[in-house]
Amino acid sequence: MIWDNAKAYKSSVSLAKLLTISCLSLIFLFTTTQTTIINAIPENFDLIGQWVSTYWTIQQFLIKFISIFVPFNYVAIAIIGNQYGMAVNLFTSAQLMSLLGIILTICIVAALTYLLVKPLFFKMASSPFEYKKSKVLFKHANKKSNGFMSFVKKELRVTYRSGNKFYDLLTIMFGLPIAVLLLNRIFAAMDTRLAGLLMGVAFNILVILVIALSSNVPLSHVYSEEGASSYLLKTNPKPYLYSALAKIVLNIVTISLSILASVIIFTSFTNFTVVTKIWIYVFVEAVYLSHLFMSVDLDITKPQTAQYQTTGSHINNPNEIKSTIYGFIISALMAFFTYFLIIENQNTVWIKLSLIALSFLALRIWLFVSKVKVYFKERQ
């Protein structure tokens, strides 16, 4: 019995690892495909001058697409009929056959689904999973971990198992660099003047900050979403700051890496020096962290624990609304300052902006630490 339970546990762990690897592989494949497609956009593209060759290239792509994805072609014929040049013929024999084929395919899939799901449903309905327990007996050595890292590991497991949080974070982490790459490839395809180039730099800052700061909105209820268990945050034998920081470490690490990749992609389309690129990253990272601590402070000073305790969610959370508004305002102001300061001097603008952002970050960190020491004692 012990051997069977241990074997079942190992099998479940192996399955979880396999699913994780498969998910990460799909994300890597999707990211690689998107990057390849975006990099295919030519630079200084003259659409009017190259329209003839572009038109026939598009036509060849569509013909090849139809030959590979035949089922999609049949669906299009069933809906709109056969197309000959600019004319469309409806209610032809080909359209009727395509429509019958689609109906037949749906019936076959429905029948197979019924035959496969029926035994599974009866098996689940007849199994006493409400009260049946399966003990997992295995031995493992206890390991002493650092107090703060123990909190971090616990939050990593909770985030990974929650699903929505984990995938939302991955979406922003990989989506931000892809969006920046697409933006700059489009800019590179245009023949712009100096003013256009400077506007492109400011718009890059705007896009990076808007997407990065949007990841901080869920942190405006990071403590309140514990609901009835919120008071447990202050029962840990370690300082309150450990519990408060552990819940935001994953966001800081993942989004910081995404910002780093985005800045590298953005600056690769410019002639900035390495030192300037570092200052740009320091500036964007400081603004991101400042807004992060600002969003977390909202939940510390004005917790919404009662709403999450009763319903498990809060549709009109005022902290989320404030965090979203602050994010848009900060992003717009930073892009505005970037554009008007970079016109004066392209070398010193990033130092000025970085010093302002770092000063604001230092203030937000001090306020965060102070509020954690004061308000965490009052959590219920």
Side-chain angles (χ1 to χ4, degrees), residues 55-89:
Y55 172 80
W56 287 111
T57 301
I58 295 174
Q59 293 298 318
Q60 292 174 2
F61 170 77
L62 293 176
I63 294 172
K64 190 174 181 180
F65 180 87
I66 292 173
S67 63
I68 296 175
F69 299 95
V70 178
F72 295 100
N73 186 35
Y74 287 149
V75 172
I77 293 175
I79 296 174
I80 64 174
N82 287 329
Q83 184 175 1
Y84 300 96
M86 300 297 294
V88 177
N89 293 334

Side-chain angles (χ1 to χ4, degrees), residues 297-353:
D297 283 353
L298 293 173
D299 194 35
I300 295 176
T301 55
K302 297 181 180 180
Q304 305 294 318
T305 308
Q307 286 76 10
Y308 286 93
Q309 183 176 350
T310 54
T311 62
S313 61
H314 194 351
I315 299 176
N316 296 319
N317 191 334
N319 293 339
E320 285 189 350
I321 298 174
K322 291 179 182 178
S323 178
T324 303
I325 294 174
Y326 292 159
F328 277 110
I329 293 176
I330 291 173
S331 302
L333 287 177
M334 293 301 104
F336 178 83
F337 291 152
T338 299
Y339 177 72
F340 284 97
L341 290 177
I342 201 172
I343 296 177
E344 298 179 359
N345 193 318
Q346 299 183 26
N347 296 321
T348 61
V349 56
W350 303 111
I351 300 177
K352 294 178 181 178
L353 292 173

Side-chain angles (χ1 to χ4, degrees), residues 28-135:
F28 176 77
L29 179 62
F30 176 78
T31 304
T32 305
T33 304
Q34 293 289 334
T35 303
T36 304
I37 295 174
I38 294 172
N39 284 326
I41 301 176
E43 295 185 2
N44 297 324
F45 181 63
D46 185 6
L47 181 61
I48 298 177
Q50 302 178 5
W51 171 245
V52 177
S53 60
T54 303
Y55 172 80
W56 287 111
T57 301
I58 295 174
Q59 293 298 318
Q60 292 174 2
F61 170 77
L62 293 176
I63 294 172
K64 190 174 181 180
F65 180 87
I66 292 173
S67 63
I68 296 175
F69 299 95
V70 178
F72 295 100
N73 186 35
Y74 287 149
V75 172
I77 293 175
I79 296 174
I80 64 174
N82 287 329
Q83 184 175 1
Y84 300 96
M86 300 297 294
V88 177
N89 293 334
L90 296 174
F91 307 111
T92 61
S93 58
Q95 184 179 11
L96 294 177
M97 291 299 295
S98 300
L99 183 59
L100 290 175
I102 293 174
I103 295 174
L104 182 61
T105 302
I106 294 174
C107 294
I108 293 174
V109 172
L112 290 175
T113 303
Y114 174 78
L115 294 175
L116 292 174
V117 171
K118 183 179 178 180
L120 179 62
F121 169 76
F122 283 116
K123 182 179 179 181
M124 294 177 62
S126 60
S127 60
F129 60 89
E130 292 91 348
Y131 56 86
K132 184 180 179 181
K133 293 184 178 180
S134 178
K135 294 183 180 180

Side-chain angles (χ1 to χ4, degrees), residues 26 44 48 114 139 165-166 207 243 324 345 352 380:
L26 289 174
N44 297 324
I48 298 177
Y114 174 78
K139 296 180 180 180
K165 284 185 180 180
F166 180 71
V207 169
S243 299
T324 303
N345 193 318
K352 294 178 181 178
Q380 299 178 354

Side-chain angles (χ1 to χ4, degrees), residues 93-264:
S93 58
Q95 184 179 11
L96 294 177
M97 291 299 295
S98 300
L99 183 59
L100 290 175
I102 293 174
I103 295 174
L104 182 61
T105 302
I106 294 174
C107 294
I108 293 174
V109 172
L112 290 175
T113 303
Y114 174 78
L115 294 175
L116 292 174
V117 171
K118 183 179 178 180
L120 179 62
F121 169 76
F122 283 116
K123 182 179 179 181
M124 294 177 62
S126 60
S127 60
F129 60 89
E130 292 91 348
Y131 56 86
K132 184 180 179 181
K133 293 184 178 180
S134 178
K135 294 183 180 180
V136 179
L137 302 175
F138 60 95
K139 296 180 180 180
H140 63 87
N142 291 327
K143 296 181 180 179
K144 183 179 179 181
S145 300
N146 178 270
F148 177 71
M149 291 307 301
S150 297
F151 296 144
V152 173
K153 290 178 182 178
K154 188 266 291 184
E155 294 301 328
L156 289 177
R157 292 191 180 97
V158 171
T159 303
Y160 176 73
R161 293 171 181 172
S162 63
N164 291 337
K165 284 185 180 180
F166 180 71
Y167 292 116
D168 290 346
L169 204 56
L170 284 182
T171 301
I172 296 178
M173 180 182 179
F174 290 97
L176 177 56
I178 293 175
V180 173
L181 177 62
L182 176 60
L183 174 66
N184 285 277
R185 291 300 300 184
I186 293 175
F187 283 162
M190 302 177 182
D191 185 13
T192 56
R193 299 180 181 179
L194 178 60
L197 294 175
L198 299 180
M199 290 179 64
V201 172
F203 199 70
N204 269 278
I205 298 298
L206 177 63
V207 169
I208 294 174
L209 288 179
V210 165
I211 298 177
L213 269 55
S214 66
S215 67
N216 294 332
V217 175
L219 297 180
S220 61
H221 55 80
V222 66
Y223 307 120
S224 296
E225 65 187 6
E226 296 286 341
S229 303
S230 180
Y231 72 94
L232 294 176
L233 293 173
K234 63 179 183 179
T235 61
N236 291 321
K238 295 293 183 179
Y240 296 147
L241 196 59
Y242 282 26
S243 299
L245 286 175
K247 283 187 165 295
I248 61 177
V249 166
L250 181 61
N251 284 66
I252 293 176
V253 174
T254 53
I255 303 303
S256 295
L257 292 175
S258 182
I259 291 175
L260 177 61
S262 302
V263 171
I264 292 174

